[in-house]
């Protein structure tokens, strides 16, 4: 997978501009929403296992907090930079607005490859980064969650570090925590489950049956791996899977149990038995009905969009399709279900976790999934109605709803002072 051949932030702004043009958004609000409200960068030391001190760079960007506290994940990735974090923070604002949960958008990142660190090093890095951003976060201010390279354990360390500074336990400062310290049932699977609810609705409208559909997935982490499992349970055939190192394809369907065993052993799907070896570029162009980019930004670009064979592209990753590729896919009749709708299940169950934490009243997994389904189906219907009525791509419709909701909240609150 290659990133940074395109600038994710400029692409996010382009997508915003399309919506702002159609909405005829007032110049002031337009300039306001086009850029992040607040940005923080830091360089901080971590003592490594060998006694050396290494300096890491971290970020936290809050794009907007008009509709509620800032919300968004923390990414640990060697190629991340401030523009990626800006883009992802902006996407979080729109995502929360599309599913109408009371948050603004934020994102954080540390430039690091966690696979190269020991568990102790990751814990020290996390606790130091949490301390660096501790003046920016809080249950009413900005609530981090997992993203690429981070997980429930890392959220537990952030929660613990923040709580130690405050002198009391503050579970609602992060979401995506382990269940035994206030995490929510269903949070781990939530992004994939939400994606599948949306896909089910879209397939119904497009007269495609998930049972028997050929599915290709780029990424086999939390979202890609869980989506594969859920879709296989619904009768879909997973015909291609890849991650950072490459992947495998099999027109007869990949044995997911065998693939999972290989992944658990090696940390990658590359080199797994039971299929032909494919590169990431080849994977995206495999014949299939449904393509799920579930990895990283800028994977479907003007360079490969005309060779994508899927009927539906559903974006589990944030920003996998560039604006130029969007136009090509739309002209070719490929239905693109945008990230801010398709992968909003994760932040939706984060919202449930936050509510449960604040109320200290916990729900069953069945309740979580039922509420998630209600919100996702509702959001799809709203976006789809706008798209049909105004004959526009789902992404444009989703942006219209999200940007308008955010701008209207601004107008209602007024500009201070
Ligand atoms: N990192 C996830 C996303 O990009 C989840 C964010 C959250 O739960 O706050 O949507």
């Amino acid at each position: 997978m290659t990133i940074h051949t395109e600038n994710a932030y400029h692409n996010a702004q382009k997508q915003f501009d399309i919506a702002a043009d159609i909405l005829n958004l007032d110049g002031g609000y337009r300039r306001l929403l086009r850029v992040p409200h607040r940005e923080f960068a830091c360089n901080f030391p971590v003592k490594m296992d060998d006694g050396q001190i290494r300096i890491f760079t971290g970020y936290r960007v809050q794009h907007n907090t008009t509709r509620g506290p800032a919300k968004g994940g923390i990414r640990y990735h060697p190629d991340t930079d401030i523009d990626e974090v800006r883009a992802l923070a902006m996407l979080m604002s729109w995502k929360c607005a599309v599913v109408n949960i009371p948050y603004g958008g934020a994102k954080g990142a540390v430039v690091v490859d966690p696979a190269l660190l020991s568990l102790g090093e990751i814990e020290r890095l996390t606790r130091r980064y949490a301390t660096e951003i501790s003046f920016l976060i809080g249950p009413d201010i900005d609530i981090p969650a997992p993203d690429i390279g981070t997980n429930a354990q890392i959220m537990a360390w952030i929660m613990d570090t923040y709580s130690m500074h405050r002198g009391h336990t503050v579970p609602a400062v992060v979401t995506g925590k382990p269940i035994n310290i206030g995490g929510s049932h269903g949070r781990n699977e939530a992004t994939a489950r939400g994606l599948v609810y949306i896909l089910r609705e879209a397939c119904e409208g497009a007269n495609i049956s998930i049972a028997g559909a050929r599915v290709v997935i780029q990424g086999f982490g939390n979202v890609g791996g869980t989506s594969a499992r859920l879709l296989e349970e619904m009768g879909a055939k997973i015909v291609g899977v890849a991650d950072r190192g490459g992947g495998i394809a099999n027109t007869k369907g990949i044995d997911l149990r065998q693939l999972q065993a290989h992944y658990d052993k090696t940390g990658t799907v590359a080199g797994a038995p039971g299929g032909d070896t494919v590169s990431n570029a080849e994977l995206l162009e495999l014949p299939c009905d449904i393509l799920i980019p579930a990895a990283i930004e800028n994977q479907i670009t003007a360079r490969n969009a005309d060779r994508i064979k899927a009927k539906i592209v559903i974006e589990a990753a944030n920003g996998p399709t560039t604006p130029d590729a969007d136009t090509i896919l739309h002209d070719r009749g490929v239905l693109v279900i945008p990230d801010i709708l398709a992968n909003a299940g994760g932040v939706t169950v984060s919202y449930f976790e936050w509510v449960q934490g604040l109320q200290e009243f916990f729900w069953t997994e069945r309740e979580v999934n039922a509420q998630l389904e209600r919100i996702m189906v509702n959001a799809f219907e709203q976006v789809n109605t706008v798209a049909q009525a105004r004959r526009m791509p789902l992404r444009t419709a989703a942006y219209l709803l999200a940007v308008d909701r955010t701008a209207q909240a601004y107008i209602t609150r007024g500009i201070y002072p």
Side-chain angles (χ1 to χ4, degrees):
M1 273 166 260
T2 47
I3 63 168
H4 299 308
T5 48
E6 301 249 359
N7 184 301
Y9 182 43
H10 295 160
N11 286 342
Q13 288 184 318
K14 264 189 222 166
Q15 285 163 345
F16 166 78
D17 285 339
I18 294 170
D21 282 345
I22 298 172
L23 284 169
N24 246 326
L25 194 63
D26 170 273
Y29 291 111
R30 185 178 179 135
R31 284 191 294 280
L32 198 58
L33 292 173
R34 206 171 181 275
V35 292
H37 169 58
R38 202 183 258 165
E39 303 185 346
F40 174 71
C42 54
N43 297 299
F44 60 90
V46 177
K47 227 178 249 165
M48 308 307 281
D49 289 344
D50 64 4
Q52 303 258 3
I53 295 168
R54 254 182 77 185
I55 311 301
F56 291 89
T57 301
Y59 306 104
R60 185 76 185 168
V61 172
Q62 296 168 352
H63 170 258
N64 190 264
T65 54
T66 310
R67 300 181 61 262
K71 185 86 190 78
I74 291 170
R75 176 171 292 195
Y76 287 178
H77 197 281
D79 299 328
T80 192
D81 62 22
I82 187 68
D83 274 348
E84 180 183 62
V85 182
R86 286 172 174 148
L88 295 170
M90 190 189 257
L91 287 180
M92 286 309 303
S93 293
W94 312 143
K95 196 183 298 186
C96 294
V98 168
V99 288
N100 218 352
I101 57 176
Y103 289 134
K107 203 78 173 196
V110 177
V111 186
V112 59
D113 184 350
L116 303 179
L117 266 52
S118 72
L119 204 59
E121 288 169 338
I122 294 175
E123 176 173 356
R124 292 194 293 281
L125 176 140
T126 298
R127 288 186 181 280
R128 180 63 190 239
Y129 170 68
T131 304
E132 297 287 344
I133 63 167
S134 62
F135 73 99
L136 280 172
I137 62 172
D140 304 320
I141 307 168
D142 179 354
I143 306 117
D147 196 77
I148 294 172
T150 58
N151 55 29
Q153 177 61 67
I154 289 174
M155 295 308 116
W157 289 327
I158 295 176
M159 186 274 245
D160 183 69
T161 303
Y162 184 87
S163 299
M164 289 300 110
H165 293 174
R166 291 290 176 287
H168 61 100
T169 299
V170 189
V173 66
V174 293
T175 59
K177 298 179 289 293
I179 288 179
N180 67 343
I181 55 163
S184 177
H185 289 289
R187 175 61 186 88
N188 254 338
E189 300 79 26
T191 311
R193 205 173 279 284
L195 181 111
V196 170
Y197 291 140
I198 297 280
L199 184 60
R200 186 190 69 195
E201 299 300 304
C203 281
E204 239 174 70
N207 259 325
I208 294 173
S209 157
I210 291 189
R214 296 162 304 161
V215 178
V216 168
I217 306 179
Q218 186 193 41
F220 201 66
N222 175 12
V223 185
T226 310
S227 301
R229 183 169 55 77
L230 293 176
L231 288 169
E232 191 191 50
E233 280 167 16
M234 293 168 78
K237 201 158 66 168
I238 313 300
V239 296
V241 178
D243 59 19
R244 259 202 259 192
I248 62 165
N250 186 338
T251 50
K252 295 201 195 73
I254 292 164
D255 180 339
L256 283 185
R257 244 174 297 268
Q258 198 180 31
L259 184 65
Q260 187 69 51
H262 176 86
Y263 180 83
D264 292 342
K265 217 164 51 198
T266 62
T268 174
V269 296
D276 301 327
T277 300
V278 287
S279 69
N280 264 284
E282 289 163 345
L283 179 97
L284 295 170
E285 297 170 18
L286 288 174
C288 65
D289 302 298
I290 298 161
L291 172 62
I292 310 182
I296 208 155
E297 303 88 72
N298 302 333
Q299 296 303 299
I300 304 175
T301 68
R303 282 193 299 278
N304 62 1
D306 57 345
R307 293 192 301 276
I308 302 286
K309 300 192 183 62
K311 300 186 184 94
I312 296 183
V313 174
I314 179 159
E315 297 181 335
N318 291 312
T321 313
T322 65
D324 291 346
D326 249 345
T327 310
I328 298 170
L329 293 175
H330 183 69
D331 290 348
R332 292 183 50 224
V334 180
L335 181 66
V336 178
I337 308 176
D339 45 12
I340 58 171
L341 173 65
N343 72 28
V347 73
T348 299
V349 176
S350 275
Y351 167 57
F352 299 158
E353 179 176 332
W354 180 72
V355 168
Q356 292 171 77
L358 293 176
Q359 296 188 338
E360 297 181 44
F361 180 76
F362 292 89
W363 312 353
T364 63
E365 182 162 359
R366 187 193 290 260
E367 287 168 320
V368 168
N369 291 344
Q371 293 289 349
L372 173 64
E373 181 171 10
R374 182 181 62 79
I375 289 185
M376 298 307 287
V377 170
N378 204 5
F380 180 81
E381 274 169 11
Q382 290 181 7
V383 171
N384 198 37
T385 302
V386 174
Q388 301 285 334
R390 304 188 63 168
R391 294 172 187 280
M392 53 175 58
L394 287 173
R395 188 183 321 275
T396 311
Y399 266 75
L400 279 196
L401 278 178
V403 173
D404 193 43
R405 276 180 188 151
T406 311
Q408 290 305 327
Y410 248 125
I411 292 165
T412 305
R413 285 180 61 160
I415 300 290
Y416 177 86

